[in-house]
Amino acid sequence: MRTSTCAIIWGLFLFLSDSVIGFSSNAVNLSNSPSRLSEYAFVMPFDDDKVLVVWDEKETFYNLYYRVFANGYWGPKTRIYDTTMNSQWPQLAKDSQGRIHMTWMEGTARTNRDIFYAYYSGGRWSAMQKIYASAYNSTWPRIGVDNRDVPHIIWTHDRGEARGDNEIYHRWKNGTWLGPLDVSRSVGTISIHSNFFVRGTNQYALWMDGHERDWNLYFSQTTNGNWSTPIHVNPKIQGYWPGICADSKGNVHILFSSLLRNVYYMNRIDGEWSDWRVVSNGPHPRNFVYISVDDNDILHGVWRQTDSGKDNIYYGSATSTGIWAEPIKISNGTYCKTPVIKPDNKGNVHVVWFELNDETETGDVYYIKGIAGEGGSADAPVALFTATPEFGKPPLKVLFKAGGSYDPDGIIVSFEWNFGDGTSGTGIQVNHTYAKKGAYIATLKLKDNDGLMSIAQTTILVSDPPVASFSMTPERGVAPLTVQFDASASRDPDGSIVLYSWDFGDDTTGKGKTTAHTYDEDGDYTVMLEVIDNAGINSVVSKSLEVLRVYAPNNIQSAFEENRNLFFREYLYDVTWEKNPLNEQYGINVSRYNIYRRHSGSTFYELLSTVPADTFNYMDRGLNANDGGRYEYTVTSVDSQGNESVRQTASGSGTPGGAQEKFKNNVRSIGDRNY
């Protein structure tokens, strides 16, 4: 069941006493990469009138690019570093000296990335530093700078003990990099997609914890340098991809996404967490949201929202007590994602995002500036209400509650309701039943003792929800595995489905009634389909997909042997292995084994031979006495489709030795295998 809190529309600027934000009509395309994918942009205003924007762009690898706005124009697009790995997800933070600190994730594969750091000062980038590396995966870093100009970084760390057993780690630089500290302290659950804010000496962290379709938001902060025990802050609703900031009084403000296609807001004021409330005014596809606070403690938020079948970026602002104005659309695209907003020291705001072109798998980074202007006095009443539920089958009984409304400088004297179906009501709390299907705009109008009015609205959808259903072929296979997805079985009882959105479970998404996706790595994936009907109602269904791998042989051994008798002497390596029962257990048909050799210390293996699946030894003959220890061997399993297991170096000896009797034993054992 969904509950929403509706923000004021009529007279929406009256409560923002310091400034009103106005946006220019057109955003600026900063990447201009028509044949590439430019994504995950971040923005940072600095030095009064300058702006730095960074993003990652896919070439052979993902590389980091930047542009600087100064003296009234944008400088050239410039690559920051030349690497042979994928550099992604740049994040920025500014210190008191105007130096801008950056972190990002970098690696050769999606499952093996490390955390990097650099800074921008005087128009130049410093050398890059790898601040954390492990045998597993480190992703999605965030950065902040405290009042001593010390940078702090948190990220998601894969411990590798079990699939999806992740934690949130923290390091900071005070001369040298210190830590890491375990912030999330999770055991047996997944902690991912953290957000981070630093103010004064305090650090605030918020992250997702749980597992697919059961995500909770957990919060922790530092006191005297020590992280507090994480607490669950959204007990009544699931939370995704959160944003966090703290105002000058230390009050905490968060935005987050949800399965219910809304953007939600919560705060912690004077140590007490509020209930959540809806701040978006339209369908919100789950995606990263962002919230910032300016020098006057005005909150600024951005998120992705669907309007007429197109995903655009919306902006909302609020007071430090969490009273939100009606959001406005600031982009004019079709598939915009992952916005970031940062205010400057003049009250202006700077927003970046990227827009995808699904047909060509390309995209560009966009920037827009919001200009602060003069606002009015805060003397109008503030209209807020909840409607529970907001959608359902007829007859639909809805409870409307306006107890959150208030008047800053007086009292509210009347609450008038228009339910959108030709009926009305009065009072701070009312029930109303919608008998027929349709989309109804429910309106609350307030009047205070000064005769000033404000209104709030929300849409009530009375309709049968769509039914989401899909098939995937195959449902199990060996990586790389291409799977066909078909949602043709989905239906809407009283309308039509207008949008099919896919989450493939590996950080990639798609659209369309039918689609295909290739999984390059083994693992258990949860595939989700969300369908939306012509009334804006959604339905979600998920299925599990198992992507296997070919398992390497067990107990691979190699021994350097001397075989001799009265007539000849021969040196050889005897390579042996055992069948891996996991291949049969998972239905993988091993058809042959490949035997590889390399010089000790080298990273390059050469293929020596291939033997049938019922053979478990190989002899590398014709070697010299001094070849002991020169070579290393490995054996891989190959299935009937040509998929091969990973290479694991054999253990064993490179020195033939012992008495003549031992050599005789070697000869006899070799002879037993038809040497």
Side-chain angles (χ1 to χ4, degrees):
M1 183 176 295
R2 182 173 61 174
T3 305
S4 71
T5 301
C6 306
I8 60 174
I9 299 175
W10 187 83
L12 66 95
F13 295 124
L14 294 181
F15 71 85
L16 295 177
S17 59
D18 293 322
S19 64
V20 175
I21 299 295
F23 286 88
S24 59
S25 58
N26 295 313
V28 179
N29 184 339
L30 293 182
S31 56
N32 287 309
S33 54
S35 62
R36 300 175 181 172
L37 173 59
S38 297
E39 59 179 6
Y40 296 137
F42 205 95
V43 62
M44 184 61 63
F46 67 107
D47 290 353
D48 290 331
D49 61 350
K50 297 179 181 178
V51 181
L52 171 66
V53 176
V54 295
W55 67 90
D56 61 71
E57 188 168 309
K58 187 175 184 181
E59 299 169 306
T60 303
F61 300 94
Y62 283 94
N63 286 292
L64 300 183
Y65 279 83
Y66 80 103
R67 292 184 72 175
V68 174
F69 181 85
N71 301 317
Y73 66 92
W74 286 98
K77 168 182 167 181
T78 307
R79 185 190 293 177
I80 302 178
Y81 300 109
D82 292 319
T83 70
T84 57
M85 294 188 291
N86 292 311
S87 303
Q88 292 177 284
W89 190 253
Q91 303 284 297
L92 302 175
K94 182 176 62 177
D95 65 25
S96 64
Q97 305 301 313
R99 184 163 61 174
I100 300 176
H101 304 258
M102 180 173 70
T103 186
W104 69 96
M105 59 186 183
E106 185 168 305
T108 56
R110 188 177 62 86
T111 56
N112 185 17
R113 292 175 286 198
D114 301 319
I115 305 301
F116 284 76
Y117 164 84
Y119 63 85
Y120 178 83
S121 180
R124 295 175 177 237
W125 289 96
S126 71
M128 57 194 293
Q129 300 178 39
K130 182 186 292 188
I131 69 159
Y132 188 79
S134 73
Y136 303 103
N137 203 22
S138 299
T139 56
W140 309 112
R142 301 280 190 172
I143 190 168
V145 181
D146 66 23
N147 59 0
R148 301 165 299 168
D149 290 343
V150 172
H152 298 258
I153 297 175
I154 68 172
W155 68 92
T156 300
H157 168 67
D158 184 346
R159 293 186 299 187
E161 298 172 6
R163 177 176 172 82
D165 197 3
N166 297 342
E167 293 181 323
I168 307 300
Y169 271 14
H170 168 224
R171 293 199 77 179
W172 64 102
K173 186 177 184 182
N174 194 2
T176 59
W177 285 99
L178 305 176
L181 296 178
D182 180 2
V183 178
S184 58
R185 311 179 200 177
S186 57
V187 177
T189 59
I190 305 172
S191 294
I192 57 173
H193 293 313
S194 58
N195 212 312
F196 189 46
F197 191 83
V198 179
R199 191 172 196 120
T201 60
N202 295 323
Q203 296 100 50
Y204 306 86
L206 184 69
W207 64 91
M208 296 165 55
D209 189 277
H211 52 80
E212 189 60 50
R213 294 186 62 78
D214 189 18
W215 292 108
N216 298 305
L217 297 183
Y218 275 77
F219 168 83
S220 179
Q221 74 174 81
T222 57
T223 303
N224 298 323
N226 298 314
W227 285 98
S228 63
T229 300
I231 61 171
H232 181 196
V233 299
N234 63 321
K236 298 180 181 179
I237 191 171
Q238 294 188 38
Y240 291 77
W241 295 296
I244 187 171
C245 67
D247 61 32
S248 62
K249 297 178 181 178
N251 297 321
V252 178
H253 307 269
I254 67 175
L255 287 180
F256 59 93
S257 183
S258 79
L259 282 175
L260 299 179
R261 297 179 57 78
N262 287 311
V263 177
Y264 294 88
Y265 166 79
M266 295 177 64
N267 60 38
R268 189 194 67 181
I269 296 179
D270 297 330
E272 296 293 328
W273 284 97
S274 71
D275 199 358
W276 54 264
R277 67 188 70 168
V278 175
V279 299
S280 54
N281 59 353
H284 162 69
R286 285 180 302 146
N287 192 233
F288 291 100
V289 299
Y290 206 93
I291 185 171
S292 289
V293 60
D294 65 23
D295 293 342
N296 296 313
D297 282 346
I298 299 298
L299 306 177
H300 305 273
V302 284
W303 57 84
R304 174 182 167 196
Q305 190 167 306
T306 302
D307 179 20
S308 302
K310 298 180 180 180
D311 293 341
N312 275 290
I313 304 304
Y314 277 66
Y315 162 81
S317 59
T319 66
S320 60
T321 56
I323 306 304
W324 286 82
E326 180 75 4
I328 59 174
K329 185 172 74 171
I330 61 173
S331 70
N332 188 25
T334 56
Y335 197 47
C336 303
K337 298 184 66 176
T338 316
V340 172
I341 186 168
K342 287 291 180 180
D344 60 27
N345 57 6
K346 298 177 182 178
N348 307 315
V349 294
H350 306 262
V351 186
V352 292
W353 66 89
F354 71 94
E355 181 179 353
L356 289 177
N357 184 330
D358 281 349
E359 296 180 357
T360 60
E361 297 184 353
T362 59
D364 276 305
V365 167
Y366 288 85
Y367 163 89
I368 196 170
K369 181 179 181 180
I371 308 296
E374 293 299 322
S377 60
D379 53 5
V382 177
L384 295 167
F385 72 91
T386 62
T388 310
E390 281 193 326
F391 65 91
K393 299 179 179 180
L396 181 66
K397 185 178 181 180
V398 181
L399 173 61
F400 295 94
K401 298 172 67 175
S405 301
Y406 70 95
D407 185 38
D409 59 355
I411 60 173
I412 299 172
V413 297
S414 68
F415 296 80
E416 298 181 3
W417 300 89
N418 185 325
F419 300 118
D421 61 352
T423 62
S424 59
T426 60
I428 194 171
Q429 177 175 314
V430 295
N431 284 289
H432 181 68
T433 299
Y434 292 90
K436 298 180 180 180
K437 294 180 181 180
Y440 303 95
I441 298 177
T443 303
L444 168 65
K445 182 169 70 174
L446 301 183
K447 181 185 290 186
D448 70 6
N449 58 320
D450 294 319
L452 297 175
M453 293 183 294
S454 63
I455 66 172
Q457 294 180 322
T458 193
T459 301
I460 306 297
L461 299 174
V462 185
S463 175
D464 291 323
V467 178
S469 178
F470 71 93
S471 63
M472 52 187 184
T473 308
E475 295 185 356
R476 187 184 192 189
V478 177
L481 180 67
T482 298
V483 181
Q484 304 292 328
F485 297 96
D486 188 347
S488 299
S490 300
R491 58 187 176 85
D492 186 34
D494 56 0
S496 60
I497 296 175
V498 297
L499 182 64
Y500 300 82
S501 297
W502 301 88
D503 184 335
F504 299 119
D506 61 350
D507 294 334
T508 60
T509 59
K511 286 188 176 182
K513 182 183 292 187
T514 60
T515 187
H517 181 64
T518 299
Y519 294 85
D520 295 321
E521 300 167 9
D522 65 289
D524 297 322
Y525 299 92
T526 299
V527 181
M528 296 179 60
L529 167 67
E530 179 185 35
V531 297
I532 301 174
D533 67 11
N534 57 321
I537 300 177
N538 73 312
S539 178
V540 178
V541 68
S542 64
K543 288 186 178 183
S544 296
L545 173 69
E546 188 176 14
V547 181
L548 305 171
R549 62 183 171 91
V550 180
Y551 292 90
N554 288 338
N555 196 26
I556 305 172
Q557 302 282 334
S558 65
F560 188 59
E561 305 280 4
E562 179 187 36
N563 181 38
R564 66 180 180 178
N565 56 31
L566 294 176
F567 304 103
F568 75 98
R569 176 182 298 176
E570 183 180 19
Y571 295 93
L572 56 89
Y573 265 101
D574 186 14
V575 183
T576 61
W577 60 92
E578 297 174 359
K579 179 190 299 184
N580 192 325
L582 290 177
N583 288 312
E584 291 184 359
Q585 178 180 333
Y586 290 112
I588 299 169
N589 179 25
V590 175
S591 61
R592 65 185 187 273
Y593 295 104
N594 287 345
I595 298 91
Y596 294 87
R597 182 181 74 181
R598 72 180 180 188
H599 284 84
S600 297
S602 172
T603 59
F604 174 74
Y605 276 107
E606 61 174 331
L607 178 64
L608 284 183
S609 182
T610 296
V611 299
D614 57 356
T615 302
F616 302 99
N617 81 290
Y618 175 79
M619 296 182 184
D620 188 12
R621 293 167 154 162
L623 304 179
N624 299 317
N626 58 359
D627 283 336
R630 175 172 295 180
Y631 298 113
E632 295 175 341
Y633 295 82
T634 188
V635 182
T636 61
S637 307
V638 184
D639 72 2
S640 57
Q641 304 300 314
N643 300 308
E644 189 173 10
S645 67
V646 298
R647 298 172 184 172
Q648 299 175 348
T649 304
S651 61
S653 170
T655 304
Q660 179 66 33
E661 183 62 30
K662 182 173 182 179
F663 293 140
K664 291 180 180 179
N665 290 338
N666 286 342
V667 171
R668 185 165 54 253
S669 64
I670 292 173
D672 291 341
R673 294 196 295 270
N674 299 318
Y675 174 71

